[in-house]
Amino acid sequence: MTAGVGHLWGVGVGPGDPELITRKAARLIAAADVIAYHSGPKGDSIARRIADDLVPTGVIEELLRYPVTTGVSVHPLGYYGEIGAFYDAAAERLAAHLAAGRDVVVLAEGDPLFYGSYMYLHDRLADRFPSEVVPGVPALAAATAAAGTGLARHEDVLTVLPGTLPVPELARRLADTQAAVIMKLGRTFPGVIEALRQAGRLADAWYVERASGADQVVARVADVDPARVPYMSMVLVPGPDTRADAAGRATGSAVRRDADDAPGSDSADRIAPAAPAAPGQDAATHAEVVVVGLGPGPDHWLTPEASAALASVDHIVGYGPYVNRVPQREGLQRHASGNTVEVDRARFALDLARRGERVAVVSGGDAGVFGMAAAVFEAAEDEAYAGVPIRVLPGVTAAQAVAARAGAPMGADFAIVSLSDRLKPWSVIEDRLRHISRADLVLSLYNPRSKARPEQLFAARDILLDERGPETVVVIGRDVGRAGESLRVTTLGAWDPAEVDMKCLVMIGARSTRVTPGGQVWTPRFVED
């Protein structure tokens, strides 16, 4: 015991083998006034068992037994309400020791802050008492050593996933990464197997149970009986072994980079080209590039024609968030990239088709409206792609979605303009805005306002005010069709462009555009002379 308040230690004791406990962890355990550890509703504590030989005689021990793990919670706020209350109570038990000047060591299997129970105590106590975390060997490191295989090489992306994810989401993430670790198995194992199958990764996946322990098990996932899989197990999906392939893997996935604007192709990001076609491969009768508009958000706005196309292709190519909207299935290869490499992306898709592959290039909304269709045709001007068939499938546009939510603001002539100046100078945009305003067309503004160009929307509003009255109707749609959707109707004079960002579409009415008493917006079909 020390003078004043005690010190809180979160100590990792490793995955199971006591010899993997660090020297620092061993020293702190031996000197502790209080040793705390978690356990399930039944049975003993794994962390306490690992550190058993180091726990000093006479030390105060605090068993923090979970009230529920995989069972049904009867708490009025459900599982997370019951677990939150448990952590609150556990933290106060330890706080009493710390306030009395006792040093407290909380044992954690693996590493304390890697899916560790200790972190929830740390959240509640670290701002009240001196605290420190001592890292431990994580279970994934022990599992990789047990399997005796390299997990991630060179620039491989390693993704750690909980097996509790829904199967479609887990399959998508497995397909989008080179190497993966799946934790939290047990009852989730049948779903994990199905996700691996859909992602085409089942044959390469390893199962490791109780890594580094005396009862350790290592097997191919396909050979494991799902009925006997415990929670303390994991799946390893190694990245490709480039030693066996001098050419390396096909790199359809480019470096991802966030950017404020879309669209645009003038970027330093580049997609590595697909392997060149062998002589005669261009003639494959089923090979094509189909450009698909996914619509602005919800699945039910995806057309049946687009769904059928996505179900028949071998490859999906597109901007990362759009690729993520396509469900993973067995045999489907996904190639995601940043949002300013459209032409590079198109060339990659065309190269795949030249090799005889069926490829879908995906866009949000309609692929022909500020989407990938034009980029594909731009890339296809290269004579090398003369024999590649290209189809474009329509999709619901953002302007259509906002108009439908508002009423019928595009009931008469209308125009659509992107305010992004990546592919055209601002002076051209200004000139177009003036002519559209003078022509009294309903105007939809895409890419209205980004962090990189926060003032241009104010300039656009002022141009419109030069030609139209302040009473002109304005509709601002945000995330239409998605969670958090909002729609606001105002006027050109009252509208503050500062409320707008890249999640919005702004619609400026014509002089004849009206608002019903119920707040719906419409533009008459007729025009008075």
Side-chain angles (χ1 to χ4, degrees), residues 49-118:
R49 190 191 320 148
I50 295 170
D52 183 63
D53 290 347
L54 300 172
V55 176
T57 302
V59 71
I60 300 171
E61 298 191 39
E62 289 282 2
L63 170 60
L64 309 176
R65 188 179 294 280
Y66 282 107
V68 63
T69 50
T70 59
V72 177
S73 173
V74 297
H75 193 279
L77 296 180
Y79 172 82
Y80 288 106
E82 185 165 5
I83 290 299
F86 161 74
Y87 281 125
D88 289 341
E92 289 311 308
R93 285 169 59 186
L94 301 187
H97 290 296
L98 294 164
R102 303 185 187 101
D103 291 338
V104 177
V105 167
V106 180
L107 304 179
E109 59 265 31
D111 182 88
L113 299 183
F114 186 73
Y115 288 115
S117 298
Y118 167 75

Side-chain angles (χ1 to χ4, degrees), residues 166-352:
V167 170
E169 176 69 5
L170 184 57
R172 178 186 70 77
R173 291 177 180 268
L174 286 167
D176 286 347
T177 191
Q178 280 83 46
V181 174
I182 308 174
M183 306 180 72
K184 302 185 178 182
L185 300 182
R187 296 188 305 171
T188 69
F189 195 67
V192 169
I193 292 177
E194 175 59 20
L196 287 163
R197 187 191 64 79
Q198 291 181 13
R201 311 297 296 271
L202 182 59
D204 300 325
W206 287 92
Y207 169 86
V208 181
E209 178 182 318
R210 298 185 174 91
S212 81
D215 50 355
Q216 170 182 287
V217 176
V218 179
R220 293 281 188 182
V221 168
D223 298 331
V224 175
D225 178 5
R228 56 160 299 278
V229 173
Y231 183 81
M232 299 302 293
S233 56
M234 66 180 60
V235 167
L236 306 177
V237 185
D241 187 347
T242 53
R243 297 174 304 171
D245 181 5
R249 63 186 178 278
T251 55
S253 295
V255 175
R256 300 187 187 184
R257 178 177 62 83
D258 292 332
D260 289 321
D261 290 348
S265 60
D266 206 6
S267 168
D269 282 358
R270 289 293 177 263
I271 298 177
Q281 280 190 316
D282 288 13
T285 56
H286 70 287
E288 68 171 345
V289 172
V290 55
V291 192
V292 179
L294 299 176
D299 292 342
H300 56 266
W301 286 353
L302 181 69
T303 69
E305 181 184 32
S307 293
L310 295 174
S312 67
V313 297
D314 309 307
H315 300 263
I316 298 292
V317 177
Y319 174 42
Y322 300 147
V323 171
N324 291 347
R325 288 172 55 186
V326 179
Q328 180 60 29
R329 56 177 167 77
E330 188 173 9
L332 180 65
Q333 298 183 53
R334 307 157 70 88
H335 310 277
S337 54
N339 73 342
T340 57
V341 290
E342 282 90 347
V343 176
D344 292 336
R345 185 154 59 225
R347 291 192 189 102
F348 178 80
L350 292 163
D351 283 335
L352 287 172

Side-chain angles (χ1 to χ4, degrees), residues 362-439:
V362 294
S363 275
D366 182 278
V369 180
F370 304 126
M372 279 299 301
V376 170
F377 283 109
E378 180 181 341
E381 287 189 325
D382 188 326
E383 292 182 1
Y385 304 123
V388 178
I390 299 171
R391 283 194 298 144
V392 180
L393 306 184
V396 176
T397 68
Q400 290 172 312
V402 172
R405 286 289 196 258
M410 298 196 306
D413 297 338
F414 62 89
I416 297 176
V417 172
S418 169
L419 290 191
S420 172
D421 57 1
R422 286 187 178 272
L423 299 177
K424 56 184 181 289
W426 176 248
S427 60
V428 171
I429 298 173
E430 288 181 312
D431 188 58
R432 290 176 179 177
L433 291 174
R434 288 192 180 91
H435 283 85
I436 291 168
S437 189
R438 289 168 187 166

